[in-house]
Amino acid sequence: MYRIYLAADFDFGNHQRMIRTLLFLLSFLFLTEASAQFLVKGKVTDAETGDPIPFASVLLKGTTIGMNTDFEGNYSLSSQSLPDSILVSYIGYLTQSKALANTAEQTLNFQLRPSDFEMEAFVFESGENPAFDIIRKAVDRKKDFDKRSLNAYETKNYTKIEVDIDHVSEEFSQRKSVQKVTSVLDSIKQLTNDEGEKILPVFFSETLSKFYYRNNPELRKEIVEKSKVTGVGITDGSTTSQITGSVFQEYNFYKNWLNILEKDFVSPIADGWKAFYDYDLLDSVLVGQDSCYKLQVYPRREQDLAFSGTIWINKETYALKQVDLTIPKETNLNFVERIKIQQELVPTTAGPLIPSKSRILIKIGQVTPKTAGLLAKFYTSSDSVKLGEPEPTSFFNQAVELKPDFDQATDEFWRQNRQDPLSAEDLAVLQMVDTLKKIPIVRFYSEGLKFFATGYLKHGKIDVGPWPGFFNYNNVEGIRLGMGFRTNADFSKKWLLQGYLAYGFKDERFKYTASATRILDRAHWTTMSLTSQREIDQVGLEIASLEGNSIFLAASRFGTLRRPYITTNHRLNFQRELFKGLLFSADANVSQFDPLFDFYYLDKDTRDYRSRFETTEARFALRYGRDEIIIINDNERVSFGPSKWPIVQVNYARGLRWLGGDLTYDKLSFYLYQRLNMGMLGVSRYELDAGKVFGEVPYPILKNHLGNETLFYTSAAFNTMNFNEFASDQYVSLRYRHFFEGFLLNKIPAIKKLKWRAVANANVLFGSVQDKNISNVPNIDPEGNPLETFGRLDPTKPYVELGYGIENIFKFFRVDFFHRMTYLDSPEAKPFAVKISAQIIL
């Protein structure tokens, strides 16, 4: 309060001075009152996930004062007058308002709930949609801002991943095993969403790394400097740390297609944008220092693999400034209720854009009403961008490299080096995960799940398994029991020892496998291994050729075995990655073939019929995958497959009689595999296989083409061909598979709700056998009994089968129908076959 005292003795001059003083004081009071500031700040988050909502509109109601939240969802508004409420809105969420208190500074946080509201398209009576011209100019300038146009760059990245169990059903929570968990966690602060549902964190990781990119050839590498991983079932952070960094969390909207969870989604600024998207020009806004167009994007067809949401495009340059895009649950995906990608881009000194911050959310729904859902959150922040000369290609040999002390860092180090501090929710998540993974019932189930998925159960420095080899039953062995082991990285990071022993109660034979592998160099993956094996096998169904087809292999080894034999192998193998993507291997292999069926071949030197033979082989192979991503899983090399370029492999084998073998021959083969993105038509995969056998050999040495008499579908076989139906000494085959991803069935109203997807197959085989390899196989044995031989293809007539089918039936099952188009005159030919399979696909 200001008080003004007037003198009683009046003087005109003093009066003038007094008036000026009074006016000055009144002006001061007025200005002081007028310049009073009210500050309102807070954070806007998603009510279901707790994640920040960037770019949301915050407005002091009844004024023009407002702003958009930053990438962390924060806002701060000041005003000289205090309105009665504040309003927060964002597309795809319910608008929310809160009353303001009469205080100079206050904090108001908002949790917005997703809305089912969908914006209707504007109808333009004449002229073109004004958003189209903006998109057209943005597409025309893609090359100016696509980071792939840079020769090379590197960034310093911070990546954070959290996985939670959510949407816990009442039935699920009432299970005794679940109640044992919740009783332990009751003492910890429970994490809930805005609707009061509990969220149960099961995994949390942080990674500090350097990310390197080079063009021509396009290569990526991440060096993990520090990583902290905690989670249920996580016993060794080395493997997990390789897949939780930036190399697996990269999303570039300047590509036409973005691969997310093995599905290809079309970008809103793809070259063919008009065939997939509609757009609305919503506003012209200021983002930072840039004036931007704000556009709403949404798919033309709701079940297409496309995004809906908002993008911001710079008015001056037509570069992407921000994106906030969602893949809604109406999209033809399984289990996925929602995928959300938020990204903030900044220009480099050369012009192309680098994402400075990215946030990805993947929400997996309940598989059944009695289970729970899953929520995965990924956050990546990049800074310290450097442009320069690219590193040599040898630098990129290993896609992800761990520093020796990657898992050794104090809490103080993390506090000082995180690009963004952990929130109170993050700290609560860490505490809950650390407690959860120590609960005995949780450890029991997590170890059981790993055992089922990998086939091995870890017990200290030894892994016991594989469980599919514990029990078999067939007509040769009867009941077969087996047990095996392998050492893990806790035993040694230089040695891998494996063993397996089985016994058949009908044939009364032991079978075994024993191997020792020495890892000589992890950077240029170099190993030397020695293996000795005695096992029962089948002609054309050898274990070595069916690795990776475990279900088909298991089905083929139960029941009646086709042309079984005992094989004894001793193998010395060397392999080395010569440079990025090129793997060289060399083998020396001694093998013995002892048939358990009526088999003879003519030895031209002795003119005798023999039933068994031995081979000594020298083998060499080259395998090249230009953009294949490889990680080192403990003591194994694991491929995540190629993204664009094909996988090529060339094999050569030489049969050596002078080293103890009974046969001299040469075998040469070529293999090519590629995944093709066909845009809106779906995805194709093809395998080209060609080979030739030089020399005179018995037919088990030839290429015995893999048939399929089981009920189960496999892409490795000809599904209307019988086992051992055809063999060739020179051949070329093409197996082509196409997945329409809902392209056809999405247009049928009654079918599209089921989310079924059409698939197609075409398998073609050309093959032949030289006369000398036909004449050495007798039709009768030495005692005059007829012998079963092998079938041959007409060199001028291909074997052709065509197939079509439906996948995603009840989200798990697939049914294929195959028609055999040629070689129908055989009495055992199957002109039509139905195959089923089960798969977990998104």
Side-chain angles (χ1 to χ4, degrees), residues 332-618:
N332 195 334
L333 289 174
N334 289 327
F335 315 118
V336 178
E337 288 188 358
R338 189 177 174 203
I339 299 177
K340 190 175 184 65
I341 300 178
Q342 299 165 327
Q343 197 172 81
E344 188 176 70
L345 298 105
V346 296
T348 61
T349 55
L353 307 175
I354 297 286
S356 60
K357 294 182 179 181
S358 299
R359 183 180 292 110
I360 297 92
L361 178 145
I362 300 173
K363 189 175 180 65
I364 307 295
Q366 296 164 281
V367 178
T368 69
K370 295 185 179 181
T371 58
L374 203 65
L375 189 65
K377 307 175 186 179
F378 307 84
Y379 173 80
T380 300
S381 176
S382 302
D383 64 7
S384 305
V385 180
K386 295 182 181 179
L387 307 182
E389 291 299 316
E391 299 285 350
T393 55
S394 59
F395 175 78
F396 296 88
N397 270 2
Q398 193 172 330
V400 183
E401 181 181 322
L402 302 176
K403 285 288 188 70
D405 59 346
F406 76 96
D407 56 350
Q408 300 173 19
T410 63
D411 291 341
E412 182 61 28
F413 171 87
W414 282 103
R415 278 193 292 270
Q416 293 179 1
N417 289 274
R418 288 187 185 101
Q419 295 182 16
D420 302 285
L422 293 182
S423 64
E425 290 79 10
D426 291 333
L427 296 174
V429 166
L430 275 171
Q431 183 187 11
M432 186 169 285
V433 173
D434 284 337
T435 303
L436 187 65
K437 67 182 184 180
K438 298 174 184 177
I439 300 174
I441 188 69
V442 173
R443 294 178 61 183
F444 173 79
Y445 278 107
S446 61
E447 290 300 321
L449 184 61
K450 288 170 62 178
F451 177 51
F452 179 78
T454 65
Y456 286 88
L457 179 65
K458 184 176 181 181
H459 184 72
K461 299 179 180 181
I462 301 295
D463 298 341
V464 179
W467 64 261
F470 290 167
F471 176 83
N472 288 95
Y473 179 82
N474 55 67
N475 63 314
V476 175
E477 298 174 289
I479 294 176
R480 167 176 163 150
L481 300 179
M483 180 66 72
F485 79 95
R486 68 183 182 188
T487 60
N488 54 47
D490 291 341
F491 174 82
S492 174
K493 291 189 176 181
K494 293 184 177 181
W495 286 98
L496 173 62
L497 307 178
Q498 291 180 282
Y500 175 78
L501 182 66
Y503 181 77
F505 286 86
K506 183 177 180 180
D507 67 349
E508 298 181 341
R509 288 190 180 98
F510 281 100
K511 293 86 180 176
Y512 66 86
T513 301
S515 70
T517 301
R518 169 71 172 179
I519 301 173
L520 302 173
D521 184 358
R522 286 178 173 265
H524 292 268
W525 188 251
T526 308
T527 64
M528 180 77 76
S529 65
L530 179 64
T531 303
S532 181
Q533 182 184 62
R534 181 175 174 83
E535 188 55 272
I536 191 166
D537 231 328
Q538 302 173 77
V539 175
L541 287 166
E542 285 82 5
I543 297 173
S545 63
L546 290 177
E547 291 180 358
N549 291 276
S550 56
I551 294 178
F552 180 73
L553 177 61
S556 66
R557 293 180 65 81
F558 272 87
T560 302
L561 302 187
R562 283 83 171 174
R563 302 190 184 185
Y565 64 94
I566 296 293
T567 178
T568 304
N569 284 290
H570 306 290
R571 178 188 179 198
L572 178 65
N573 170 265
F574 171 82
Q575 63 175 334
R576 179 176 175 82
E577 188 174 38
L578 301 179
F579 57 83
K580 170 64 178 176
L582 184 64
L583 185 70
F584 168 77
S585 64
D587 286 8
N589 189 79
V590 178
S591 178
Q592 181 176 302
F593 179 92
D594 290 309
L596 300 177
F597 65 102
D598 290 333
F599 165 77
Y600 291 92
Y601 78 97
L602 179 63
D603 188 325
K604 295 295 180 66
D605 292 335
T606 64
R607 308 305 299 174
D608 292 331
Y609 286 103
R610 301 180 60 179
S611 62
R612 63 180 300 276
F613 57 84
E614 295 183 4
T615 61
T616 301
E617 282 189 347

Side-chain angles (χ1 to χ4, degrees), residues 64-117:
T64 59
I65 300 173
M67 67 173 293
N68 290 334
T69 55
D70 62 17
F71 198 81
E72 304 306 322
N74 297 311
Y75 73 91
S76 179
L77 294 173
S78 60
S79 174
Q80 294 177 351
S81 61
L82 187 67
D84 61 351
S85 61
I86 184 171
L87 190 71
V88 176
S89 62
Y90 193 59
I91 295 171
Y93 291 86
L94 296 173
T95 299
Q96 191 178 131
S97 64
K98 289 187 177 182
L100 293 171
N102 189 17
T103 57
E105 183 175 327
Q106 55 193 299
T107 300
L108 289 176
N109 297 322
F110 289 82
Q111 289 183 309
L112 301 187
R113 296 184 182 182
S115 169
D116 292 331
F117 170 80

